[in-house]
């Protein structure tokens, strides 16, 4: 089991952040342009942890060299069932330098876009090093 999966399933956002390379790139399922850098990638992942409910991985596929992982998941966002996949690429130090997320169906992707959009001011503040606001 990849440490990313273990951290997501445990809800351990500090462990998640430690897995990203400084030059990590996050590609969103709902935004065209990728986000570059560890700070914004980690902040987005923290935001997603607040949005996804009941996330569980159902399959993990690993490349022969161990540097590429596809983590298939199911979760709920605002009452809608989401099926998705986290695609990870690891750099030569074993850190995640590329995270691409894809989700389906369209109704769930739309709900995810709305939920993450509502988080985006907080995500940007966290990426810039501001103190995160505690969740209720």
């Amino acid at each position: 089991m990849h440490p990313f999966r273990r951290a997501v399933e445990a809800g351990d956002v500090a462990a998640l952040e430690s897995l990203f390379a400084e030059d990590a790139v996050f590609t969103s399922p709902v935004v065209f342009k990728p986000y570059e850098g560890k700070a914004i990638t980690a902040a987005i992942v923290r935001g997603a942890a607040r949005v996804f409910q009941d996330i569980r991985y159902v399959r993990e596929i690993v490349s022969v060299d161990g540097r590429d992982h596809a983590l298939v998941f199911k979760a709920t966002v605002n009452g809608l069932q989401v099926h998705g996949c986290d695609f990870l690429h690891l750099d030569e130090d074993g850190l995640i330098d590329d995270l691409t997320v894809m989700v389906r169906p369209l109704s769930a992707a739309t709900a995810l876009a709305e939920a993450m959009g509502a988080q985006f001011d907080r995500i940007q503040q966290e990426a810039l090093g501001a103190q995160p606001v505690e969740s209720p």
Side-chain angles (χ1 to χ4, degrees), residues 6-130:
R6 194 170 19 260
V8 168
E9 290 178 336
D12 188 346
V13 292
L16 279 169
E17 186 169 345
S18 73
L19 299 173
F20 292 111
E22 289 300 322
D23 62 348
V25 175
F26 174 79
T27 304
S28 165
V30 295
V31 177
F32 178 74
K33 186 178 181 202
Y35 296 93
E36 298 181 3
K38 178 178 182 172
I40 189 67
T41 299
I44 290 169
V45 170
R46 286 192 302 272
R50 293 186 293 266
V51 167
F52 283 108
Q53 299 117 25
D54 306 320
I55 189 164
R56 62 208 172 281
Y57 288 96
V58 296
R59 185 174 307 123
E60 185 169 343
I61 304 163
V62 182
S63 66
V64 174
D65 66 1
R67 292 186 61 187
D68 291 287
H69 296 254
L71 306 174
V72 181
F73 66 85
K74 292 184 179 182
T76 305
V77 174
N78 291 337
L80 293 173
Q81 183 71 37
V82 178
H83 295 179
C85 191
D86 294 330
F87 295 97
L88 313 176
H89 180 268
L90 309 181
D91 66 12
E92 50 281 338
D93 296 322
L95 296 173
I96 300 167
D97 63 3
D98 186 32
L99 169 59
T100 298
V101 179
M102 294 188 181
V103 297
R104 62 161 305 278
L106 179 58
S107 59
T110 301
L112 177 61
E114 291 170 0
M116 289 298 289
Q119 294 269 327
F120 208 73
D121 285 342
R122 179 176 176 180
I123 289 168
Q124 287 180 311
Q125 289 175 350
E126 289 178 5
L128 295 172

